[in-house]
């Protein structure tokens, strides 16, 4: 990178994704995955199941 700040930048995307081998898209994250997400340094995560339990688990994590 051609920048005076290059040494201060991180190449870590800070995204939390789980992939199954050979899959075309990330695995759906469910409430039971919240502990792994909490333990990561990720600022972004995808792909969450579109159900009430997942939404409630994410809201609880956000409120901590």
């Amino acid at each position: 990178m051609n920048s005076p700040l290059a040494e201060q930048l991180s190449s870590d995307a800070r995204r939390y994704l789980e992939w199954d081998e050979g899959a075309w898209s990330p695995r759906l994250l469910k409430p039971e995955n919240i502990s792994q997400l909490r333990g990561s340094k990720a600022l972004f995560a995808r792909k969450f199941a579109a159900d009430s339990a997942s939404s409630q688990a994410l809201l609880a994590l956000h409120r901590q």
Side-chain angles (χ1 to χ4, degrees):
M1 176 180 293
N2 188 16
S3 168
L5 301 175
E7 292 183 21
Q8 297 175 14
L9 299 176
S10 172
S11 62
D12 183 359
R14 304 270 176 157
R15 290 183 177 92
Y16 185 84
L17 300 124
E18 290 190 9
W19 289 86
D20 288 322
E21 188 173 334
W24 289 87
S25 64
R27 181 181 329 154
L28 286 175
L29 298 175
K30 298 180 180 176
E32 54 268 19
N33 303 112
I34 295 295
S35 61
Q36 293 100 335
L37 176 59
R38 184 183 302 128
S40 76
K41 293 182 180 181
L43 300 175
F44 304 95
R46 69 172 287 224
K47 167 178 180 185
F48 294 99
D51 60 18
S52 177
S54 296
S55 296
Q56 293 302 318
L58 288 169
L59 285 171
L61 177 62
H62 177 68
R63 290 180 181 136
Q64 291 181 356

PDB file of all heavy atoms in Angstrom, residues 5-41:
ATOM      1  N   LEU A   5       0.321   5.934   6.132  1.00  0.00           N
ATOM      2  CA  LEU A   5      -0.372   5.242   7.229  1.00  0.00           C
ATOM      3  C   LEU A   5      -0.383   3.725   7.063  1.00  0.00           C
ATOM      4  O   LEU A   5      -1.010   3.022   7.854  1.00  0.00           O
ATOM      5  CB  LEU A   5      -1.813   5.750   7.337  1.00  0.00           C
ATOM      6  CG  LEU A   5      -1.977   7.242   7.587  1.00  0.00           C
ATOM      7  CD1 LEU A   5      -3.445   7.631   7.545  1.00  0.00           C
ATOM      8  CD2 LEU A   5      -1.349   7.639   8.902  1.00  0.00           C
ATOM      9  N   ALA A   6       0.279   3.207   6.047  1.00  0.00           N
ATOM     10  CA  ALA A   6       0.209   1.781   5.725  1.00  0.00           C
ATOM     11  C   ALA A   6       0.553   0.882   6.912  1.00  0.00           C
ATOM     12  O   ALA A   6      -0.082  -0.150   7.110  1.00  0.00           O
ATOM     13  CB  ALA A   6       1.123   1.474   4.550  1.00  0.00           C
ATOM     14  N   GLU A   7       1.529   1.275   7.718  1.00  0.00           N
ATOM     15  CA  GLU A   7       1.927   0.427   8.856  1.00  0.00           C
ATOM     16  C   GLU A   7       0.896   0.433   9.978  1.00  0.00           C
ATOM     17  O   GLU A   7       0.909  -0.429  10.841  1.00  0.00           O
ATOM     18  CB  GLU A   7       3.285   0.879   9.383  1.00  0.00           C
ATOM     19  CG  GLU A   7       4.403   0.596   8.406  1.00  0.00           C
ATOM     20  CD  GLU A   7       5.770   0.968   8.961  1.00  0.00           C
ATOM     21  OE1 GLU A   7       5.898   1.068  10.203  1.00  0.00           O
ATOM     22  OE2 GLU A   7       6.686   1.137   8.165  1.00  0.00           O
ATOM     23  N   GLN A   8      -0.005   1.392   9.978  1.00  0.00           N
ATOM     24  CA  GLN A   8      -1.014   1.491  11.023  1.00  0.00           C
ATOM     25  C   GLN A   8      -2.322   0.800  10.650  1.00  0.00           C
ATOM     26  O   GLN A   8      -3.193   0.623  11.490  1.00  0.00           O
ATOM     27  CB  GLN A   8      -1.306   2.960  11.342  1.00  0.00           C
ATOM     28  CG  GLN A   8      -0.106   3.691  11.879  1.00  0.00           C
ATOM     29  CD  GLN A   8      -0.377   5.165  12.064  1.00  0.00           C
ATOM     30  OE1 GLN A   8      -1.519   5.599  12.041  1.00  0.00           O
ATOM     31  NE2 GLN A   8       0.671   5.947  12.239  1.00  0.00           N
ATOM     32  N   LEU A   9      -2.467   0.418   9.396  1.00  0.00           N
ATOM     33  CA  LEU A   9      -3.700  -0.210   8.921  1.00  0.00           C
ATOM     34  C   LEU A   9      -3.656  -1.712   9.125  1.00  0.00           C
ATOM     35  O   LEU A   9      -2.604  -2.327   9.121  1.00  0.00           O
ATOM     36  CB  LEU A   9      -3.920   0.112   7.447  1.00  0.00           C
ATOM     37  CG  LEU A   9      -4.071   1.589   7.115  1.00  0.00           C
ATOM     38  CD1 LEU A   9      -4.175   1.783   5.616  1.00  0.00           C
ATOM     39  CD2 LEU A   9      -5.267   2.183   7.821  1.00  0.00           C
ATOM     40  N   SER A  10      -4.817  -2.287   9.267  1.00  0.00           N
ATOM     41  CA  SER A  10      -4.940  -3.733   9.452  1.00  0.00           C
ATOM     42  C   SER A  10      -5.566  -4.358   8.217  1.00  0.00           C
ATOM     43  O   SER A  10      -6.473  -3.801   7.612  1.00  0.00           O
ATOM     44  CB  SER A  10      -5.831  -4.014  10.664  1.00  0.00           C
ATOM     45  OG  SER A  10      -6.122  -5.380  10.758  1.00  0.00           O
ATOM     46  N   SER A  11      -5.085  -5.537   7.860  1.00  0.00           N
ATOM     47  CA  SER A  11      -5.688  -6.258   6.735  1.00  0.00           C
ATOM     48  C   SER A  11      -6.825  -7.176   7.195  1.00  0.00           C
ATOM     49  O   SER A  11      -7.464  -7.832   6.392  1.00  0.00           O
ATOM     50  CB  SER A  11      -4.628  -7.072   6.002  1.00  0.00           C
ATOM     51  OG  SER A  11      -4.083  -8.032   6.878  1.00  0.00           O
ATOM     52  N   ASP A  12      -7.077  -7.204   8.501  1.00  0.00           N
ATOM     53  CA  ASP A  12      -8.164  -8.020   9.054  1.00  0.00           C
ATOM     54  C   ASP A  12      -9.499  -7.348   8.746  1.00  0.00           C
ATOM     55  O   ASP A  12      -9.732  -6.208   9.132  1.00  0.00           O
ATOM     56  CB  ASP A  12      -7.985  -8.157  10.560  1.00  0.00           C
ATOM     57  CG  ASP A  12      -9.017  -9.054  11.210  1.00  0.00           C
ATOM     58  OD1 ASP A  12      -9.905  -9.572  10.504  1.00  0.00           O
ATOM     59  OD2 ASP A  12      -8.953  -9.230  12.430  1.00  0.00           O
ATOM     60  N   ALA A  13     -10.380  -8.029   8.056  1.00  0.00           N
ATOM     61  CA  ALA A  13     -11.669  -7.460   7.650  1.00  0.00           C
ATOM     62  C   ALA A  13     -12.645  -7.331   8.823  1.00  0.00           C
ATOM     63  O   ALA A  13     -13.665  -6.667   8.699  1.00  0.00           O
ATOM     64  CB  ALA A  13     -12.300  -8.306   6.551  1.00  0.00           C
ATOM     65  N   ARG A  14     -12.353  -7.999   9.949  1.00  0.00           N
ATOM     66  CA  ARG A  14     -13.216  -7.940  11.138  1.00  0.00           C
ATOM     67  C   ARG A  14     -14.648  -8.381  10.854  1.00  0.00           C
ATOM     68  O   ARG A  14     -15.598  -7.796  11.329  1.00  0.00           O
ATOM     69  CB  ARG A  14     -13.211  -6.550  11.765  1.00  0.00           C
ATOM     70  CG  ARG A  14     -11.863  -6.027  12.130  1.00  0.00           C
ATOM     71  CD  ARG A  14     -11.521  -6.411  13.519  1.00  0.00           C
ATOM     72  NE  ARG A  14     -10.154  -5.969  13.800  1.00  0.00           N
ATOM     73  CZ  ARG A  14      -9.709  -5.763  15.000  1.00  0.00           C
ATOM     74  NH1 ARG A  14     -10.489  -5.956  16.018  1.00  0.00           N
ATOM     75  NH2 ARG A  14      -8.478  -5.404  15.192  1.00  0.00           N
ATOM     76  N   ARG A  15     -14.769  -9.425  10.038  1.00  0.00           N
ATOM     77  CA  ARG A  15     -16.081  -9.991   9.723  1.00  0.00           C
ATOM     78  C   ARG A  15     -16.151 -11.405  10.268  1.00  0.00           C
ATOM     79  O   ARG A  15     -15.193 -12.158  10.179  1.00  0.00           O
ATOM     80  CB  ARG A  15     -16.302 -10.012   8.217  1.00  0.00           C
ATOM     81  CG  ARG A  15     -16.489  -8.645   7.639  1.00  0.00           C
ATOM     82  CD  ARG A  15     -16.784  -8.741   6.141  1.00  0.00           C
ATOM     83  NE  ARG A  15     -17.043  -7.450   5.585  1.00  0.00           N
ATOM     84  CZ  ARG A  15     -16.125  -6.671   5.038  1.00  0.00           C
ATOM     85  NH1 ARG A  15     -14.867  -7.072   4.978  1.00  0.00           N
ATOM     86  NH2 ARG A  15     -16.455  -5.504   4.550  1.00  0.00           N
ATOM     87  N   TYR A  16     -17.305 -11.752  10.805  1.00  0.00           N
ATOM     88  CA  TYR A  16     -17.516 -13.106  11.318  1.00  0.00           C
ATOM     89  C   TYR A  16     -18.429 -13.849  10.351  1.00  0.00           C
ATOM     90  O   TYR A  16     -19.573 -13.459  10.144  1.00  0.00           O
ATOM     91  CB  TYR A  16     -18.144 -13.064  12.716  1.00  0.00           C
ATOM     92  CG  TYR A  16     -18.254 -14.430  13.323  1.00  0.00           C
ATOM     93  CD1 TYR A  16     -17.179 -14.989  13.991  1.00  0.00           C
ATOM     94  CD2 TYR A  16     -19.418 -15.163  13.228  1.00  0.00           C
ATOM     95  CE1 TYR A  16     -17.264 -16.249  14.554  1.00  0.00           C
ATOM     96  CE2 TYR A  16     -19.518 -16.427  13.781  1.00  0.00           C
ATOM     97  CZ  TYR A  16     -18.435 -16.963  14.437  1.00  0.00           C
ATOM     98  OH  TYR A  16     -18.526 -18.216  14.982  1.00  0.00           O
ATOM     99  N   LEU A  17     -17.883 -14.888   9.737  1.00  0.00           N
ATOM    100  CA  LEU A  17     -18.644 -15.739   8.819  1.00  0.00           C
ATOM    101  C   LEU A  17     -18.289 -17.188   9.120  1.00  0.00           C
ATOM    102  O   LEU A  17     -17.157 -17.480   9.513  1.00  0.00           O
ATOM    103  CB  LEU A  17     -18.263 -15.470   7.358  1.00  0.00           C
ATOM    104  CG  LEU A  17     -18.492 -14.073   6.858  1.00  0.00           C
ATOM    105  CD1 LEU A  17     -17.217 -13.503   6.317  1.00  0.00           C
ATOM    106  CD2 LEU A  17     -19.548 -14.100   5.788  1.00  0.00           C
ATOM    107  N   GLU A  18     -19.222 -18.066   8.938  1.00  0.00           N
ATOM    108  CA  GLU A  18     -18.953 -19.498   9.050  1.00  0.00           C
ATOM    109  C   GLU A  18     -19.313 -20.145   7.724  1.00  0.00           C
ATOM    110  O   GLU A  18     -20.407 -19.923   7.204  1.00  0.00           O
ATOM    111  CB  GLU A  18     -19.761 -20.124  10.181  1.00  0.00           C
ATOM    112  CG  GLU A  18     -19.287 -19.695  11.548  1.00  0.00           C
ATOM    113  CD  GLU A  18     -19.936 -20.501  12.659  1.00  0.00           C
ATOM    114  OE1 GLU A  18     -20.621 -21.508  12.380  1.00  0.00           O
ATOM    115  OE2 GLU A  18     -19.759 -20.103  13.818  1.00  0.00           O
ATOM    116  N   TRP A  19     -18.373 -20.913   7.197  1.00  0.00           N
ATOM    117  CA  TRP A  19     -18.581 -21.570   5.908  1.00  0.00           C
ATOM    118  C   TRP A  19     -18.523 -23.082   6.080  1.00  0.00           C
ATOM    119  O   TRP A  19     -17.691 -23.598   6.818  1.00  0.00           O
ATOM    120  CB  TRP A  19     -17.479 -21.183   4.929  1.00  0.00           C
ATOM    121  CG  TRP A  19     -17.545 -19.778   4.459  1.00  0.00           C
ATOM    122  CD1 TRP A  19     -17.011 -18.689   5.066  1.00  0.00           C
ATOM    123  CD2 TRP A  19     -18.195 -19.315   3.285  1.00  0.00           C
ATOM    124  NE1 TRP A  19     -17.279 -17.571   4.337  1.00  0.00           N
ATOM    125  CE2 TRP A  19     -18.004 -17.923   3.235  1.00  0.00           C
ATOM    126  CE3 TRP A  19     -18.921 -19.924   2.256  1.00  0.00           C
ATOM    127  CZ2 TRP A  19     -18.502 -17.137   2.206  1.00  0.00           C
ATOM    128  CZ3 TRP A  19     -19.408 -19.146   1.234  1.00  0.00           C
ATOM    129  CH2 TRP A  19     -19.206 -17.774   1.218  1.00  0.00           C
ATOM    130  N   ASP A  20     -19.400 -23.787   5.400  1.00  0.00           N
ATOM    131  CA  ASP A  20     -19.294 -25.233   5.285  1.00  0.00           C
ATOM    132  C   ASP A  20     -18.429 -25.512   4.063  1.00  0.00           C
ATOM    133  O   ASP A  20     -18.483 -24.770   3.077  1.00  0.00           O
ATOM    134  CB  ASP A  20     -20.673 -25.878   5.097  1.00  0.00           C
ATOM    135  CG  ASP A  20     -21.501 -25.828   6.365  1.00  0.00           C
ATOM    136  OD1 ASP A  20     -20.921 -25.996   7.454  1.00  0.00           O
ATOM    137  OD2 ASP A  20     -22.722 -25.612   6.264  1.00  0.00           O
ATOM    138  N   GLU A  21     -17.637 -26.559   4.123  1.00  0.00           N
ATOM    139  CA  GLU A  21     -16.754 -26.884   3.007  1.00  0.00           C
ATOM    140  C   GLU A  21     -17.558 -27.085   1.721  1.00  0.00           C
ATOM    141  O   GLU A  21     -18.560 -27.802   1.704  1.00  0.00           O
ATOM    142  CB  GLU A  21     -15.966 -28.156   3.323  1.00  0.00           C
ATOM    143  CG  GLU A  21     -14.894 -28.448   2.309  1.00  0.00           C
ATOM    144  CD  GLU A  21     -14.001 -29.601   2.712  1.00  0.00           C
ATOM    145  OE1 GLU A  21     -13.871 -29.865   3.923  1.00  0.00           O
ATOM    146  OE2 GLU A  21     -13.450 -30.233   1.820  1.00  0.00           O
ATOM    147  N   GLY A  22     -17.153 -26.394   0.676  1.00  0.00           N
ATOM    148  CA  GLY A  22     -17.809 -26.510  -0.618  1.00  0.00           C
ATOM    149  C   GLY A  22     -19.085 -25.690  -0.770  1.00  0.00           C
ATOM    150  O   GLY A  22     -19.724 -25.732  -1.813  1.00  0.00           O
ATOM    151  N   ALA A  23     -19.453 -24.939   0.250  1.00  0.00           N
ATOM    152  CA  ALA A  23     -20.700 -24.166   0.204  1.00  0.00           C
ATOM    153  C   ALA A  23     -20.539 -22.931  -0.680  1.00  0.00           C
ATOM    154  O   ALA A  23     -19.451 -22.403  -0.855  1.00  0.00           O
ATOM    155  CB  ALA A  23     -21.099 -23.738   1.608  1.00  0.00           C
ATOM    156  N   TRP A  24     -21.661 -22.468  -1.222  1.00  0.00           N
ATOM    157  CA  TRP A  24     -21.677 -21.285  -2.071  1.00  0.00           C
ATOM    158  C   TRP A  24     -21.941 -20.009  -1.281  1.00  0.00           C
ATOM    159  O   TRP A  24     -21.725 -18.909  -1.781  1.00  0.00           O
ATOM    160  CB  TRP A  24     -22.751 -21.432  -3.148  1.00  0.00           C
ATOM    161  CG  TRP A  24     -22.389 -22.437  -4.178  1.00  0.00           C
ATOM    162  CD1 TRP A  24     -22.641 -23.779  -4.115  1.00  0.00           C
ATOM    163  CD2 TRP A  24     -21.700 -22.227  -5.388  1.00  0.00           C
ATOM    164  NE1 TRP A  24     -22.157 -24.407  -5.215  1.00  0.00           N
ATOM    165  CE2 TRP A  24     -21.572 -23.463  -6.039  1.00  0.00           C
ATOM    166  CE3 TRP A  24     -21.177 -21.103  -6.014  1.00  0.00           C
ATOM    167  CZ2 TRP A  24     -20.940 -23.606  -7.259  1.00  0.00           C
ATOM    168  CZ3 TRP A  24     -20.553 -21.257  -7.232  1.00  0.00           C
ATOM    169  CH2 TRP A  24     -20.437 -22.488  -7.842  1.00  0.00           C
ATOM    170  N   SER A  25     -22.428 -20.150  -0.082  1.00  0.00           N
ATOM    171  CA  SER A  25     -22.711 -18.975   0.755  1.00  0.00           C
ATOM    172  C   SER A  25     -22.458 -19.340   2.221  1.00  0.00           C
ATOM    173  O   SER A  25     -22.400 -20.519   2.571  1.00  0.00           O
ATOM    174  CB  SER A  25     -24.155 -18.507   0.559  1.00  0.00           C
ATOM    175  OG  SER A  25     -25.061 -19.482   0.993  1.00  0.00           O
ATOM    176  N   PRO A  26     -22.301 -18.336   3.077  1.00  0.00           N
ATOM    177  CA  PRO A  26     -22.041 -18.628   4.493  1.00  0.00           C
ATOM    178  C   PRO A  26     -23.201 -19.375   5.147  1.00  0.00           C
ATOM    179  O   PRO A  26     -24.348 -19.269   4.724  1.00  0.00           O
ATOM    180  CB  PRO A  26     -21.901 -17.238   5.125  1.00  0.00           C
ATOM    181  CG  PRO A  26     -21.694 -16.294   4.015  1.00  0.00           C
ATOM    182  CD  PRO A  26     -22.326 -16.903   2.809  1.00  0.00           C
ATOM    183  N   ARG A  27     -22.862 -20.098   6.196  1.00  0.00           N
ATOM    184  CA  ARG A  27     -23.862 -20.820   6.978  1.00  0.00           C
ATOM    185  C   ARG A  27     -24.727 -19.813   7.728  1.00  0.00           C
ATOM    186  O   ARG A  27     -24.278 -18.734   8.105  1.00  0.00           O
ATOM    187  CB  ARG A  27     -23.140 -21.718   7.976  1.00  0.00           C
ATOM    188  CG  ARG A  27     -24.063 -22.535   8.825  1.00  0.00           C
ATOM    189  CD  ARG A  27     -23.362 -23.403   9.842  1.00  0.00           C
ATOM    190  NE  ARG A  27     -22.052 -23.843   9.399  1.00  0.00           N
ATOM    191  CZ  ARG A  27     -21.072 -24.152  10.221  1.00  0.00           C
ATOM    192  NH1 ARG A  27     -21.226 -24.060  11.518  1.00  0.00           N
ATOM    193  NH2 ARG A  27     -19.903 -24.542   9.771  1.00  0.00           N
ATOM    194  N   LEU A  28     -25.985 -20.162   7.951  1.00  0.00           N
ATOM    195  CA  LEU A  28     -26.866 -19.313   8.762  1.00  0.00           C
ATOM    196  C   LEU A  28     -26.422 -19.348  10.215  1.00  0.00           C
ATOM    197  O   LEU A  28     -26.230 -20.416  10.785  1.00  0.00           O
ATOM    198  CB  LEU A  28     -28.314 -19.804   8.675  1.00  0.00           C
ATOM    199  CG  LEU A  28     -29.055 -19.535   7.387  1.00  0.00           C
ATOM    200  CD1 LEU A  28     -30.429 -20.182   7.430  1.00  0.00           C
ATOM    201  CD2 LEU A  28     -29.173 -18.050   7.129  1.00  0.00           C
ATOM    202  N   LEU A  29     -26.253 -18.178  10.805  1.00  0.00           N
ATOM    203  CA  LEU A  29     -25.907 -18.091  12.221  1.00  0.00           C
ATOM    204  C   LEU A  29     -27.193 -18.095  13.035  1.00  0.00           C
ATOM    205  O   LEU A  29     -28.145 -17.398  12.718  1.00  0.00           O
ATOM    206  CB  LEU A  29     -25.104 -16.823  12.485  1.00  0.00           C
ATOM    207  CG  LEU A  29     -23.773 -16.721  11.754  1.00  0.00           C
ATOM    208  CD1 LEU A  29     -23.134 -15.372  11.990  1.00  0.00           C
ATOM    209  CD2 LEU A  29     -22.844 -17.842  12.161  1.00  0.00           C
ATOM    210  N   LYS A  30     -27.180 -18.872  14.091  1.00  0.00           N
ATOM    211  CA  LYS A  30     -28.353 -19.038  14.946  1.00  0.00           C
ATOM    212  C   LYS A  30     -27.988 -18.655  16.373  1.00  0.00           C
ATOM    213  O   LYS A  30     -26.829 -18.386  16.673  1.00  0.00           O
ATOM    214  CB  LYS A  30     -28.834 -20.486  14.864  1.00  0.00           C
ATOM    215  CG  LYS A  30     -29.269 -20.855  13.452  1.00  0.00           C
ATOM    216  CD  LYS A  30     -29.733 -22.277  13.375  1.00  0.00           C
ATOM    217  CE  LYS A  30     -30.151 -22.571  11.934  1.00  0.00           C
ATOM    218  NZ  LYS A  30     -30.528 -23.937  11.745  1.00  0.00           N
ATOM    219  N   PRO A  31     -28.945 -18.616  17.278  1.00  0.00           N
ATOM    220  CA  PRO A  31     -28.650 -18.208  18.664  1.00  0.00           C
ATOM    221  C   PRO A  31     -27.495 -18.983  19.302  1.00  0.00           C
ATOM    222  O   PRO A  31     -26.720 -18.412  20.073  1.00  0.00           O
ATOM    223  CB  PRO A  31     -29.964 -18.464  19.397  1.00  0.00           C
ATOM    224  CG  PRO A  31     -31.006 -18.291  18.354  1.00  0.00           C
ATOM    225  CD  PRO A  31     -30.383 -18.848  17.093  1.00  0.00           C
ATOM    226  N   GLU A  32     -27.334 -20.235  18.957  1.00  0.00           N
ATOM    227  CA  GLU A  32     -26.243 -21.013  19.551  1.00  0.00           C
ATOM    228  C   GLU A  32     -24.861 -20.577  19.060  1.00  0.00           C
ATOM    229  O   GLU A  32     -23.843 -20.969  19.632  1.00  0.00           O
ATOM    230  CB  GLU A  32     -26.447 -22.521  19.341  1.00  0.00           C
ATOM    231  CG  GLU A  32     -26.663 -22.930  17.920  1.00  0.00           C
ATOM    232  CD  GLU A  32     -28.123 -22.995  17.505  1.00  0.00           C
ATOM    233  OE1 GLU A  32     -28.993 -22.401  18.168  1.00  0.00           O
ATOM    234  OE2 GLU A  32     -28.383 -23.637  16.478  1.00  0.00           O
ATOM    235  N   ASN A  33     -24.792 -19.739  18.032  1.00  0.00           N
ATOM    236  CA  ASN A  33     -23.522 -19.218  17.527  1.00  0.00           C
ATOM    237  C   ASN A  33     -23.118 -17.896  18.174  1.00  0.00           C
ATOM    238  O   ASN A  33     -22.018 -17.395  17.939  1.00  0.00           O
ATOM    239  CB  ASN A  33     -23.583 -19.009  16.008  1.00  0.00           C
ATOM    240  CG  ASN A  33     -23.930 -20.263  15.256  1.00  0.00           C
ATOM    241  OD1 ASN A  33     -24.992 -20.358  14.669  1.00  0.00           O
ATOM    242  ND2 ASN A  33     -23.036 -21.226  15.281  1.00  0.00           N
ATOM    243  N   ILE A  34     -23.972 -17.321  18.996  1.00  0.00           N
ATOM    244  CA  ILE A  34     -23.718 -16.013  19.581  1.00  0.00           C
ATOM    245  C   ILE A  34     -22.464 -16.020  20.457  1.00  0.00           C
ATOM    246  O   ILE A  34     -21.703 -15.061  20.473  1.00  0.00           O
ATOM    247  CB  ILE A  34     -24.942 -15.510  20.372  1.00  0.00           C
ATOM    248  CG1 ILE A  34     -26.125 -15.283  19.429  1.00  0.00           C
ATOM    249  CG2 ILE A  34     -24.626 -14.243  21.163  1.00  0.00           C
ATOM    250  CD1 ILE A  34     -25.936 -14.201  18.405  1.00  0.00           C
ATOM    251  N   SER A  35     -22.197 -17.103  21.165  1.00  0.00           N
ATOM    252  CA  SER A  35     -21.006 -17.135  22.025  1.00  0.00           C
ATOM    253  C   SER A  35     -19.722 -17.049  21.201  1.00  0.00           C
ATOM    254  O   SER A  35     -18.775 -16.367  21.608  1.00  0.00           O
ATOM    255  CB  SER A  35     -20.998 -18.382  22.913  1.00  0.00           C
ATOM    256  OG  SER A  35     -20.966 -19.549  22.121  1.00  0.00           O
ATOM    257  N   GLN A  36     -19.681 -17.694  20.021  1.00  0.00           N
ATOM    258  CA  GLN A  36     -18.506 -17.583  19.157  1.00  0.00           C
ATOM    259  C   GLN A  36     -18.374 -16.155  18.621  1.00  0.00           C
ATOM    260  O   GLN A  36     -17.282 -15.607  18.545  1.00  0.00           O
ATOM    261  CB  GLN A  36     -18.575 -18.559  17.967  1.00  0.00           C
ATOM    262  CG  GLN A  36     -18.475 -19.998  18.365  1.00  0.00           C
ATOM    263  CD  GLN A  36     -19.838 -20.659  18.395  1.00  0.00           C
ATOM    264  OE1 GLN A  36     -20.872 -20.021  18.574  1.00  0.00           O
ATOM    265  NE2 GLN A  36     -19.838 -21.964  18.223  1.00  0.00           N
ATOM    266  N   LEU A  37     -19.494 -15.556  18.249  1.00  0.00           N
ATOM    267  CA  LEU A  37     -19.487 -14.186  17.760  1.00  0.00           C
ATOM    268  C   LEU A  37     -19.001 -13.235  18.848  1.00  0.00           C
ATOM    269  O   LEU A  37     -18.159 -12.371  18.605  1.00  0.00           O
ATOM    270  CB  LEU A  37     -20.893 -13.792  17.287  1.00  0.00           C
ATOM    271  CG  LEU A  37     -21.098 -12.356  16.832  1.00  0.00           C
ATOM    272  CD1 LEU A  37     -20.182 -12.017  15.669  1.00  0.00           C
ATOM    273  CD2 LEU A  37     -22.555 -12.138  16.440  1.00  0.00           C
ATOM    274  N   ARG A  38     -19.492 -13.414  20.058  1.00  0.00           N
ATOM    275  CA  ARG A  38     -19.091 -12.570  21.186  1.00  0.00           C
ATOM    276  C   ARG A  38     -17.588 -12.692  21.443  1.00  0.00           C
ATOM    277  O   ARG A  38     -16.921 -11.709  21.772  1.00  0.00           O
ATOM    278  CB  ARG A  38     -19.850 -12.952  22.443  1.00  0.00           C
ATOM    279  CG  ARG A  38     -19.537 -12.050  23.622  1.00  0.00           C
ATOM    280  CD  ARG A  38     -20.237 -12.470  24.905  1.00  0.00           C
ATOM    281  NE  ARG A  38     -21.686 -12.514  24.745  1.00  0.00           N
ATOM    282  CZ  ARG A  38     -22.437 -13.555  25.057  1.00  0.00           C
ATOM    283  NH1 ARG A  38     -21.893 -14.650  25.558  1.00  0.00           N
ATOM    284  NH2 ARG A  38     -23.728 -13.524  24.897  1.00  0.00           N
ATOM    285  N   GLY A  39     -17.037 -13.869  21.291  1.00  0.00           N
ATOM    286  CA  GLY A  39     -15.613 -14.101  21.540  1.00  0.00           C
ATOM    287  C   GLY A  39     -14.693 -13.647  20.427  1.00  0.00           C
ATOM    288  O   GLY A  39     -13.480 -13.633  20.597  1.00  0.00           O
ATOM    289  N   SER A  40     -15.249 -13.250  19.313  1.00  0.00           N
ATOM    290  CA  SER A  40     -14.421 -12.817  18.188  1.00  0.00           C
ATOM    291  C   SER A  40     -14.146 -11.319  18.263  1.00  0.00           C
ATOM    292  O   SER A  40     -14.750 -10.601  19.062  1.00  0.00           O
ATOM    293  CB  SER A  40     -15.120 -13.149  16.867  1.00  0.00           C
ATOM    294  OG  SER A  40     -16.169 -12.229  16.616  1.00  0.00           O
ATOM    295  N   LYS A  41     -13.249 -10.847  17.411  1.00  0.00           N
ATOM    296  CA  LYS A  41     -12.960  -9.413  17.307  1.00  0.00           C
ATOM    297  C   LYS A  41     -13.735  -8.780  16.160  1.00  0.00           C
ATOM    298  O   LYS A  41     -13.470  -7.656  15.766  1.00  0.00           O
ATOM    299  CB  LYS A  41     -11.465  -9.203  17.099  1.00  0.00           C
ATOM    300  CG  LYS A  41     -10.639  -9.601  18.295  1.00  0.00           C
ATOM    301  CD  LYS A  41      -9.181  -9.331  18.051  1.00  0.00           C
ATOM    302  CE  LYS A  41      -8.364  -9.740  19.263  1.00  0.00           C
ATOM    303  NZ  LYS A  41      -6.940  -9.458  19.060  1.00  0.00           N
TER     304      LYS A  41
END
